[in-house]
Amino acid sequence: MEFVPVRVEAYAGYRGEETPRRFVHGGAAHEIDAILDRWYQGGPDPAAPVLDYFKVKTADGAVHLLRYERGQGRWRLGLAASP
């Protein structure tokens, strides 16, 4: 899977975590109706990036994978590889 930069509007909770609410890709805004799953990648190795993943369902019923790179404050959208 390839991850491309994407603009995300997110809610920062009281602990500072980011939760996506809407993203813009290809000139279109996509409202997030539900977060279907959430997990993170990272560990005690300070050289390894800490990544938060969100499997989301948008208002049109599509399912997308968003990744938040905590150290850089960047969001990326997962695109499935073409067959």
Side-chain angles (χ1 to χ4, degrees):
M1 177 170 285
E2 175 187 2
F3 284 88
V4 298
V6 65
R7 193 176 90 224
V8 173
E9 294 177 22
Y11 169 77
Y14 70 94
R15 292 182 297 174
E17 75 275 10
E18 298 282 332
T19 304
R21 300 290 187 223
R22 172 184 308 131
F23 68 93
V24 178
H25 179 69
H30 302 273
E31 295 290 328
I32 295 172
D33 274 357
I35 295 176
L36 304 175
D37 198 2
R38 178 181 182 169
W39 66 96
Y40 76 95
Q41 175 182 334
D45 180 2
V50 177
L51 305 170
D52 291 313
Y53 290 90
F54 298 87
K55 184 177 181 181
V56 300
K57 182 178 176 185
T58 54
D60 63 0
V63 175
H64 302 274
L65 183 60
L66 293 170
R67 180 176 81 188
Y68 181 62
E69 301 171 1
R70 286 190 203 176
Q72 290 76 33
R74 288 188 301 215
W75 285 94
R76 297 194 179 267
L77 174 66
L79 300 178
S82 301

